[in-house]
């Protein structure tokens, strides 16, 4: 930085602080407009083809947003008067919840039977059935027998052994402001459960379903805001005190951190960016990254004071030395985070943009407000080398004495970890995005283990024409498809209109089991359907399975616990079966929220590889220009790429599964990792060019001038990002862990591998120079 500009900052130090911090706090007022995201759809772009297919499915039939109330009697028997009474009451109460479109339960299941010539379609369980008399046990036994023999109920609304049941409420949100609509539904549902628990103390009630999971997004965000930010702030304060041991420097750094976060969060509100868990945790990242710039400026400032310089001279020299590397690290970090715009999920694009804004503000404040405050606040420094500096000098001697061995050892370690990368498997099920401590995750896991699957797949099978679903040929193909699905190991339950039709055909043929099959006559099938629909109560029609003009059916498949790769392989297998075994008009692909997340996770990895490659290319060009050397610019690629590659190798040993959250880590860490390389190389080249040092002396100079700052910033970065591992949102937790690992590895590579690489390359250059000089003298 120009000394004149530095002098102006110090001359107008009070105005600089007031003006810039005033801007930050003014922008921060936009934070009041932040709306917490309460819908899994925020992870999809509006033009996402799989989302459009899913929307078309919902528009054709009914919404797939379901809130499940799981009822679990403590005696593990649903078929008691008390338990069934709770089902009836809960069913009635759920109709009164806001935004509810449909309720399906054991009690209102439309059971069909024939009474002489009449088809009876009635609720399976009524209050009359539970009246206390001599026939109660017989009626309960009959209800149990009918329920556990009904394919439409077992593995969907009732467990196979009858120890748990569910009430499925289909929600239809107006969409005016879902940040309020969904919490309103959940609050009313929890209030209802509290009342039911008082009436039925011997029964456990749980909320599950994708509506509950959607609400978990906002709850995870609120939890992280309340816990992670105070923890991170505390970690940074402790770290700054350990490294600075000066209140003035701590205060100045904290002002920069607060200003950067305030500006970024204000922009989230002003720009209308949804408050998703990744976006709201951007503050933790900004907080951590802002410290790095401050540490470099402050550390050099204190070193200069220790040499006897005045405060003004020490600050001016610190800004002059650090301006270029801090500017370069800021630019490269911003480019790295902006590469997240290649991500498929909008929340990760928003995360990249918000952090980029925060880092840009942190750069400005660290070169203006920070030095102004350091000048204003009283500072005392002992005029002797610090313990850290002495230790770093000894460490530099140790590295230089073993640079060849370290180069080989770390090089072998890099290769060993890189070859492990293919051992990672793509696996990204959105229902597992939340920590097991969260109520929604616990209820979902209970549902999966005790009642029904939590992953779904839907197919819309078109008929040849309107009312074509009654054609015997079409119905036969549908039934063949359902029977084939039920043989697949991944499938837990299949819900199909043909189940109802087969039951009707049996009922209207004197309940003869031989007639439990689809009708072989179009008119008969149509009559069955008309007779059945006329008997249905309001709100329990067949629109969730049949479209309006009777030209298509929806087949809903409930799956066992399945990985992303497994889901995509199954979807492809099912689609191929349809192509090979049904007419062309019945062909189609599967859809569901699980399918959308599976596709987006896979595409995210491909997109981020492209985005990261572009970012790496741009960063390399910038480094070539800034370092004024093609050789060093290209050479920097090794320590810039190696840490992330090594990190994924270690991840293969620790976890082995990569999802949407981890796919953005390379882009995030790329700019951060470059910081260490830039600072080390810039000091190395300064020693070579300005001070005329040889390679080994230049390496020692780099360690002595920037080694302490790099170590301190790495420790704080690792600790700061490690806090994210305690996030209740799994994507943030994995992201934080992987980022911490990568940043730590970056320091290892720069301190143990890069010195040997620099010495080896510049030694070759020196030999060539001496040889050329000798040849000239000889000639």
């Amino acid at each position: 930085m120009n000394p004149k500009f530095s002098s102006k900052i110090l001359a107008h130090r009070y105005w600089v602080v007031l003006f810039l911090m005033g801007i930050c706090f003014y922008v921060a007022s936009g934070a009041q407009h932040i709306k917490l995201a309460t819908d899994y759809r925020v992870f999809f772009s509006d033009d996402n083809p799989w989302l459009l297919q899913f929307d078309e499915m919902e528009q054709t039939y009914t919404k797939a947003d379901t809130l499940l109330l799981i009822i679990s009697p403590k005696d593990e028997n649903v078929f008691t008067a008390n338990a069934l009474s709770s089902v009836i009451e809960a069913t009635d109460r759920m109709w009164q919840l806001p935004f509810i479109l449909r309720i399906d339960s054991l009690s209102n299941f439309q059971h069909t039977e024939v009474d002489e010539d009449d088809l009876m379609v009635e609720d399976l369980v009524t209050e009359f059935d539970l009246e206390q008399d001599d026939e109660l046990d017989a009626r309960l036994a009959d209800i149990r027998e009918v329920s556990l023999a009904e394919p439409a109920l077992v593995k969907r609304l009732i467990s196979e052994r009858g120890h748990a049941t569910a009430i499925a409420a289909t929600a239809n949100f107006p969409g005016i402001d879902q940040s309020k609509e969904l919490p309103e539904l959940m609050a009313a549902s929890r209030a209802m459960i509290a009342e039911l628990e008082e009436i039925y103390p011997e029964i456990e009630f749980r909320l599950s379903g994708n509506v509950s999971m959607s609400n978990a997004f906002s709850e995870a965000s609120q939890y992280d805001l309340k816990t992670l930010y105070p923890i991170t702030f505390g970690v940074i304060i402790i770290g700054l005190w350990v490294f600075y041991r000066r209140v003035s420097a701590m205060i100045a750094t904290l002002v920069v951190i607060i200003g950067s976060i305030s500006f970024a969060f204000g922009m989230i509100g002003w720009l209308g960016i949804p408050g998703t868990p990744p976006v709201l945790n951007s503050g933790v990242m900004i907080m951590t990254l802002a410290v790095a710039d401050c540490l470099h400026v402050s550390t050099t400032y204190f070193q200069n004071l220790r040499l006897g310089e005045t405060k003004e001279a020490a600050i001016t020299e610190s800004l002059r030395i650090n301006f270029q590397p801090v500017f370069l690290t800021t630019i490269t970090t911003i480019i790295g985070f902006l590469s997240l715009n290649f991500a498929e999920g909008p929340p990760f694009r928003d995360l990249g943009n918000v952090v980029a804004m925060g880092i840009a503000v942190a750069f400005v404040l660290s070169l203006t407000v920070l030095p102004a405050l350091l000048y204003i606040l009283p500072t005392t420094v002992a005029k002797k080398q610090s313990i850290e500096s002495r230790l770093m000098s000894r460490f530099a001697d140790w590295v230089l004495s073993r640079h060849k061995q370290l180069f080989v050892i770390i090089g072998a370690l890099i290769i060993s970890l890189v070859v492990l990368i293919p051992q990672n498997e793509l696996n990204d099920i959105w229902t597992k995005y939340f920590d097991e401590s969260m109520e929604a995750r616990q209820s979902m896991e209970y549902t999966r283990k005790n009642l029904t699957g939590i992953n779904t797949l839907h197919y819309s099978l078109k008929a040849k024409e309107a009312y074509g679903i009654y054609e015997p040929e079409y119905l036969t193909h549908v039934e063949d498809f359902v029977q084939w699905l039920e043989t697949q190991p991944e499938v837990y339950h299949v819900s199909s209109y043909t189940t109802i039709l087969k039951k009707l055909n049996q009922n209207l043929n004197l309940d003869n089991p031989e007639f439990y099959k689809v009708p072989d006559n179009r008119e008969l099938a149509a009559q069955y359907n008309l007779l059945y629909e006329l008997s249905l109560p309001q709100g329990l029609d067949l629109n969730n399975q049949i479209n309006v003009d009777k030209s298509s059916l929806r087949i809903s498949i409930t799956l066992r616990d399945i990985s992303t790769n497994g889901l995509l392989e199954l979807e492809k297998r099912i689609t191929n079966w349809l192509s090979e075994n049904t007419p062309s008009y019945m062909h189609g692909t599967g859809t569901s929220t699980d399918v959308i997340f599976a596709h987006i996770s896979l595409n995210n990895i491909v997109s981020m590889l492209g985005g990261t490659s572009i970012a790496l290319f741009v960063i390399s060009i910038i480094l070539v220009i800034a370092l004024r050397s093609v050789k060093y610019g290209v050479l920097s690629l090794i320590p810039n790429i190696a840490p992330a590659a090594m990190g994924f190798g270690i991840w293969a040993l620790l976890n082995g599964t990569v999802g949407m959250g981890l796919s953005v880590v390379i882009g995030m860490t790329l700019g951060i990792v470059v910081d260490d390389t830039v600072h080390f190389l810039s000091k190395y080249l300064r020693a070579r060019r300005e001070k005329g040092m040889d390679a080994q002396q230049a390496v020692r100079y780099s360690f002595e001038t920037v080694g302490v700052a790099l170590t301190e910033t790495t420790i704080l970065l690792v600790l700061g990002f490690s806090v994210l591992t305690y996030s209740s949102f799994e994507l943030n937790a994995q992201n934080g862990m992987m980022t911490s690992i990568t940043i730590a590895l970056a320091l290892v590579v720069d301190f143990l591998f890069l010195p040997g690489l620099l010495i080896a390359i510049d030694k070759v250059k020196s030999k060539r120079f001496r040889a050329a000089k000798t040849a000239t003298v000889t000639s």
Side-chain angles (χ1 to χ4, degrees):
M1 179 181 285
N2 191 306
K4 292 183 179 180
F5 188 73
S6 303
S7 299
K8 289 183 178 180
I9 291 174
L10 299 180
H12 303 285
R13 51 193 176 275
Y14 292 102
W15 287 110
V16 167
V17 174
L18 291 174
F19 177 71
L20 292 178
M21 294 306 296
I23 292 177
C24 290
F25 291 136
Y26 173 77
V27 174
S29 64
Q32 62 186 314
H33 303 300
I34 297 176
K35 293 183 178 180
L36 296 180
T38 56
D39 191 349
Y40 59 82
R41 289 171 178 264
V42 296
F43 278 86
F44 315 132
S45 302
D46 292 336
D47 59 350
N48 184 291
W50 299 287
L51 178 61
L52 294 176
Q53 181 185 359
F54 184 67
D55 287 340
E56 182 181 357
M57 174 80 73
E58 290 195 328
Q59 290 167 7
T60 302
Y61 305 98
T62 56
K63 288 279 188 179
D65 293 334
T66 304
L67 178 66
L68 292 179
L69 176 63
I70 310 301
I71 299 177
S72 310
K74 293 179 181 178
D75 63 1
E76 298 193 340
N77 184 10
V78 168
F79 301 102
T80 64
N82 188 60
L84 291 176
S85 176
S86 72
V87 173
I88 293 174
E89 182 163 358
T91 300
D92 292 339
R93 286 172 175 262
M94 291 188 77
W95 275 115
Q96 301 170 31
L97 294 175
F99 315 116
I100 295 303
L101 180 68
R102 178 189 178 99
I103 301 289
D104 289 287
S105 73
L106 187 64
S107 64
N108 75 354
F109 175 74
Q110 297 306 290
H111 175 57
T112 60
E113 59 183 354
V114 174
D115 183 8
E116 296 182 354
D117 293 331
D118 295 327
L119 175 66
M120 308 297 293
V121 182
E122 297 177 332
D123 289 351
L124 178 59
V125 185
T126 65
E127 291 183 358
F128 172 77
D129 295 320
L130 306 181
E131 290 182 357
Q132 298 289 335
D133 57 28
D134 294 339
E135 298 181 0
L136 177 60
D137 290 341
R139 288 197 298 272
L140 291 176
D142 185 54
I143 292 171
R144 179 185 181 90
E145 182 181 356
V146 171
S147 300
L148 298 183
E150 178 55 61
L153 289 176
V154 179
K155 298 183 180 180
R156 178 173 169 260
L157 295 181
I158 187 75
S159 63
E160 291 180 276
R161 57 190 180 94
H163 74 293
T165 186
I167 300 175
T170 303
N172 184 26
F173 298 104
I176 299 173
D177 187 356
Q178 196 163 346
S179 64
K180 296 179 180 178
E181 294 165 0
L182 182 54
E184 181 183 347
L185 171 58
M186 292 301 298
S189 300
R190 285 168 175 159
M192 176 195 69
I193 286 180
E195 294 175 0
L196 289 172
E197 286 175 336
E198 289 187 8
I199 301 172
Y200 302 97
E202 63 284 349
I203 295 176
E204 295 178 346
F205 299 90
R206 296 175 176 85
L207 288 175
S208 187
N210 57 11
V211 169
S212 176
M213 294 302 288
S214 288
N215 185 66
F217 282 103
S218 63
E219 292 186 339
S221 298
Q222 294 173 31
Y223 174 83
D224 287 354
L225 285 172
K226 293 176 182 177
T227 57
L228 300 190
Y229 278 78
I231 294 173
T232 305
F233 204 71
V235 167
I236 287 176
I237 289 177
I238 294 172
L240 291 177
W241 176 252
V242 171
F243 297 144
Y244 283 151
R245 293 187 291 278
R246 296 172 184 86
V247 175
S248 59
M250 285 179 59
I251 293 174
T253 301
L254 291 176
V255 169
V256 172
I257 290 172
I258 293 170
S260 304
I261 295 176
S262 300
F263 187 94
F265 267 61
M267 292 304 294
I268 293 174
W270 289 122
L271 296 176
I273 297 173
T276 59
V279 169
L280 294 182
N281 273 324
S282 62
V284 174
M285 300 180 186
I286 295 170
M287 192 186 308
T288 305
L289 292 168
V291 175
D293 293 345
C294 297
L295 271 171
H296 284 289
V297 174
S298 301
T299 300
T300 306
Y301 164 65
F302 292 131
Q303 287 176 347
N304 293 335
L305 286 179
R306 203 170 285 114
L307 295 174
E309 295 184 8
T310 63
K311 290 181 69 173
E312 182 174 356
I315 291 174
T316 301
E317 179 63 9
S318 176
L319 292 177
R320 185 187 77 81
I321 292 175
N322 286 294
F323 177 77
Q324 184 192 46
V326 169
F327 175 74
L328 286 177
T329 56
T330 299
I331 289 296
T332 55
T333 305
I334 288 175
I335 290 173
F337 275 94
L338 288 180
S339 71
L340 299 191
N341 280 283
F342 287 88
E344 287 287 326
F348 294 107
R349 301 177 206 163
D350 296 335
L351 169 66
N353 294 331
V354 171
V355 175
M357 287 188 287
I359 293 171
V361 173
F363 166 74
V364 174
L365 297 182
S366 65
L367 296 180
T368 52
V369 172
L370 178 72
L373 287 173
L374 288 176
Y375 192 76
I376 293 170
L377 298 172
T379 304
T380 56
V381 176
K383 294 183 179 180
K384 62 179 181 179
Q385 191 179 30
S386 66
I387 296 175
E388 295 91 338
S389 297
R390 291 198 296 271
L391 290 175
M392 187 55 62
S393 295
R394 294 177 185 175
F395 179 71
D397 291 336
W398 181 83
V399 171
L400 288 171
S401 66
R402 298 168 175 80
H403 68 85
K404 292 181 180 179
Q405 299 95 313
L406 290 172
F407 177 75
V408 174
I409 292 171
I410 302 302
L413 178 63
I414 292 173
I415 295 172
S416 300
L417 291 175
V418 167
V419 298
L420 292 175
I421 293 177
Q423 301 299 316
N424 287 297
E425 179 188 9
L426 173 65
N427 188 10
D428 200 25
I429 299 299
W430 79 281
T431 50
K432 295 187 177 181
Y433 280 1
F434 305 98
D435 186 75
E436 292 181 359
S437 63
M438 292 192 67
E439 177 190 342
R441 174 68 184 276
Q442 291 174 359
S443 296
M444 190 65 79
E445 290 300 323
Y446 179 88
T447 303
R448 180 179 64 82
K449 294 176 182 178
N450 294 277
L451 186 61
T452 186
I454 58 178
N455 306 118
T456 60
L457 193 55
H458 304 279
Y459 277 82
S460 180
L461 302 183
K462 295 181 179 179
K464 189 181 296 185
E465 57 190 1
Y467 298 94
I469 64 169
Y470 303 130
E471 284 288 349
E473 180 185 3
Y474 172 82
L475 289 172
T476 300
H477 283 305
V478 173
E479 184 60 13
D480 290 343
F481 179 52
V482 171
Q483 291 179 2
W484 177 81
L485 285 173
E486 291 174 339
T487 65
Q488 303 309 298
E490 302 93 340
V491 173
Y492 191 73
H493 180 268
V494 181
S495 181
S496 169
Y497 166 70
T498 56
T499 303
I500 297 174
L501 206 54
K502 289 189 298 181
K503 182 67 174 177
L504 290 171
N505 195 32
Q506 179 183 351
N507 290 148
L508 294 169
N509 284 278
L510 304 176
D511 278 332
N512 187 343
E514 293 183 6
F515 284 88
Y516 188 71
K517 60 183 179 180
V518 294
D520 56 5
N521 181 281
R522 174 174 177 148
E523 287 71 23
L524 190 61
Q527 290 174 12
Y528 285 171
N529 184 80
L530 178 62
L531 187 62
Y532 180 71
E533 285 194 311
L534 288 175
S535 304
L536 293 175
Q538 185 178 1
L540 290 178
D541 52 43
L542 295 175
N543 290 342
N544 62 331
Q545 300 181 63
I546 305 175
N547 71 340
V548 176
D549 67 353
K550 308 296 189 292
S551 63
S552 65
L553 297 177
R554 173 161 69 178
I555 307 298
S556 297
I557 309 165
T558 303
L559 306 173
R560 301 180 189 277
D561 202 18
I562 190 170
S563 68
T564 297
N565 284 333
L567 178 61
L568 293 177
E569 191 280 328
L570 175 63
E571 193 273 333
K572 182 179 180 181
R573 194 193 322 152
I574 294 173
T575 301
N576 288 341
W577 189 94
L578 284 173
S579 299
E580 295 170 1
N581 296 277
T582 63
S584 58
Y585 55 79
M586 293 183 69
H587 297 172
T589 55
T591 184
S592 70
T593 52
D594 298 298
V595 170
I596 304 173
F597 272 105
H599 280 292
I600 202 174
S601 297
L602 187 62
N603 281 18
N604 209 56
I605 292 176
V606 177
S607 299
M608 284 310 304
L609 284 175
T612 304
S613 299
I614 294 174
L616 184 62
F617 176 76
V618 173
I619 288 174
S620 298
I621 296 297
I622 291 174
L623 292 181
V624 167
I625 295 172
L627 298 175
R628 291 176 293 162
S629 170
V630 174
K631 181 182 73 172
Y632 291 110
V634 173
L635 178 122
S636 68
L637 290 175
I638 298 174
N640 291 343
I641 297 174
M646 295 168 69
F648 275 95
I650 291 176
W651 191 259
L653 299 174
L654 295 177
N655 188 295
T657 58
V658 174
M660 186 159 54
L662 286 186
S663 63
V664 302
V665 167
I666 298 179
M668 281 178 49
T669 58
L670 179 61
I672 303 173
V673 166
V674 170
D675 293 2
D676 290 354
T677 308
V678 166
H679 280 289
F680 199 93
L681 274 177
S682 64
K683 296 299 186 291
Y684 175 83
L685 291 176
R686 185 167 182 260
R688 296 277 287 163
R689 292 167 179 169
E690 296 181 16
K691 300 182 179 294
M693 296 181 178
D694 62 23
Q696 292 205 23
Q697 291 173 330
V699 167
R700 180 180 283 104
Y701 177 81
S702 294
F703 273 114
E704 291 175 346
T705 54
V706 80
V708 172
L710 288 181
T711 303
E712 292 174 348
T713 55
T714 297
I715 291 172
L716 279 179
L717 285 170
V718 169
L719 291 176
F721 277 96
S722 293
V723 172
L724 287 175
T725 61
Y726 296 98
S727 172
S728 56
F729 191 62
E730 190 66 19
L731 297 189
N732 286 340
Q734 291 187 352
N735 194 305
M737 180 179 292
M738 186 64 171
T739 302
S740 299
I741 292 172
T742 303
I743 293 173
L745 290 171
L747 189 68
V748 172
V749 171
D750 283 321
F751 274 12
L752 303 182
F753 180 80
L754 184 58
L757 182 62
L758 290 172
I759 293 171
I761 289 177
D762 282 340
K763 189 175 182 180
V764 171
K765 178 181 176 182
S766 299
K767 287 182 178 179
R768 289 176 179 173
F769 177 76
R770 286 196 297 270
K773 186 176 181 181
T774 301
T776 302
V777 172
T778 302
S779 61

